[in-house]
Amino acid sequence: GAVVSQHPSWVICKSGTSVKIECRSLDFQATTMFWYRQFPKQSLMLMATSNEGSKATYEQGVEKDKFLINHASLTLSTLTVTSAHPEDSSFYICSANPGVNTEAFFGQGTRLTVV
Amino acid sequence: GNSVTQMEGPVTLSEEAFLTINCTYTATGYPSLFWYVQYPGEGLQLLLKATKADDKGSNKGFEATYRKETTSFHLEKGSVQVSDSAVYFCAPPCVTGANSKLTFGKGITLSVRP
């Protein structure tokens, strides 16, 4: 099946620093990728839709200046958590679909801990 | 738009018990339907899917039938194991076209006791 690789798998950073998370589709091109956030014992929450070559589409309540998304190529989308604070600590997951009406493939997720 | 309604959790069963997790959907047309599973400490992975009405998806002893008359896609397993303990998500149908956005429900946590 298709592979989506996410890096890093975990990161711990001091409050106030910016953290970049990468999401790559390894064997297919993805004009669209999706970024989710998951709090402990809760479901995935869609944060934004990353669009190759154009601006990302953010869900209501998600701060675009806080969570910067760049989809520079057909195989790479990055999520940057700017000036991270402890409340940003969470599990971040990306996904992409290799084709029309196909299942989503997820990255391994990134555990962000801000101290 | 497309959406799903998933039964409330959590669910606790004894090993070898029968499992049913309900999921109903609303959709335009008959797009594919999916169940995803998240094992402890891991990311999401596809458990099974059905691509058309009356289709049955199956994997690891789990089954779900795409029933258009009841707009349901209930997940079933005849005899659960401790290793089935996980969170299960019924994903809404993917929208047709070049982009597919999945918005997940709360998921159901299944705990299987030995």
Side-chain angles (χ1 to χ4, degrees), chain B residues 58-70:
Chain B
S58 60
N59 185 27
K60 299 181 179 181
F62 290 90
E63 292 183 341
T65 301
Y66 188 155
R67 301 194 186 280
K68 61 180 181 180
E69 64 276 11
T70 55

Side-chain angles (χ1 to χ4, degrees), chain A residues 79-94:
Chain A
L79 169 69
T80 300
V81 183
T82 61
S83 187
H85 288 90
E87 58 265 30
D88 299 322
S89 298
S90 190
F91 193 56
Y92 293 87
I93 306 172
C94 69

Side-chain angles (χ1 to χ4, degrees), chain A residues 32 34 36 38 43 100 103-104, chain B residues 36 38 49 97 99-100 102 105:
Chain A
T32 303
F34 304 96
Y36 299 85
Q38 184 179 35
S43 179
V100 173
E103 65 266 34
Chain B
Y36 289 85
Q38 184 178 28
K49 67 178 180 180
N99 304 321
S100 299
L102 295 183

Side-chain angles (χ1 to χ4, degrees), chain A residues 6-8 11 18-24 33-38 45-50 56 58 62-72 76-82 88 90-94 109-110 112:
Chain A
Q6 192 171 336
H7 176 81
V11 58
S18 293
V19 181
K20 180 184 285 188
I21 303 171
E22 294 186 346
C23 181
R24 295 180 184 274
M33 292 184 176
F34 304 96
W35 286 97
Y36 299 85
R37 183 174 181 176
Q38 184 179 35
M45 180 190 76
L46 179 66
M47 298 174 65
T49 302
S50 174
Y58 290 83
V62 178
E63 300 175 60
K64 64 177 71 174
D65 294 331
K66 176 71 170 177
F67 299 99
L68 299 180
I69 292 174
N70 183 24
H71 197 145
L76 173 63
S77 174
T78 60
L79 169 69
T80 300
V81 183
T82 61
D88 299 322
S90 190
F91 193 56
Y92 293 87
I93 306 172
C94 69
T110 298
L112 170 63

Side-chain angles (χ1 to χ4, degrees), chain B residues 68-81:
Chain B
K68 61 180 181 180
E69 64 276 11
T70 55
T71 63
S72 66
F73 193 53
H74 303 328
L75 182 68
E76 297 180 334
K77 186 171 185 178
S79 177
V80 294
Q81 305 300 312

Side-chain angles (χ1 to χ4, degrees), chain A residues 31-32 34 36 38 41-44 46 49 51 59 91 93 95 97 99-108, chain B residues 31-32 34 36 38 42-46 49 51 89 94-107:
Chain A
T31 56
T32 303
F34 304 96
Y36 299 85
Q38 184 179 35
K41 299 184 179 181
Q42 296 188 25
S43 179
L44 296 181
L46 179 66
T49 302
N51 304 299
E59 297 300 305
F91 193 56
I93 306 172
S95 77
N97 301 65
V100 173
N101 213 25
T102 63
E103 65 266 34
F105 289 87
F106 291 83
Q108 304 94 317
Chain B
S32 299
F34 307 92
Y36 289 85
Q38 184 178 28
E42 300 183 15
L44 264 71
Q45 57 185 276
L46 178 68
K49 67 178 180 180
T51 57
F89 296 87
C94 292
V95 297
T96 57
N99 304 321
S100 299
K101 181 166 72 173
L102 295 183
T103 305
F104 289 88
K106 295 181 180 179

Side-chain angles (χ1 to χ4, degrees), chain B residues 21-64:
Chain B
I21 302 177
N22 292 340
C23 174
T24 57
Y25 67 90
T26 59
T28 302
Y30 301 106
S32 299
L33 300 176
F34 307 92
W35 275 98
Y36 289 85
V37 59
Q38 184 178 28
Y39 296 104
E42 300 183 15
L44 264 71
Q45 57 185 276
L46 178 68
L47 177 60
L48 54 83
K49 67 178 180 180
T51 57
K52 60 184 184 294
D54 299 323
D55 202 16
K56 177 186 285 187
S58 60
N59 185 27
K60 299 181 179 181
F62 290 90
E63 292 183 341

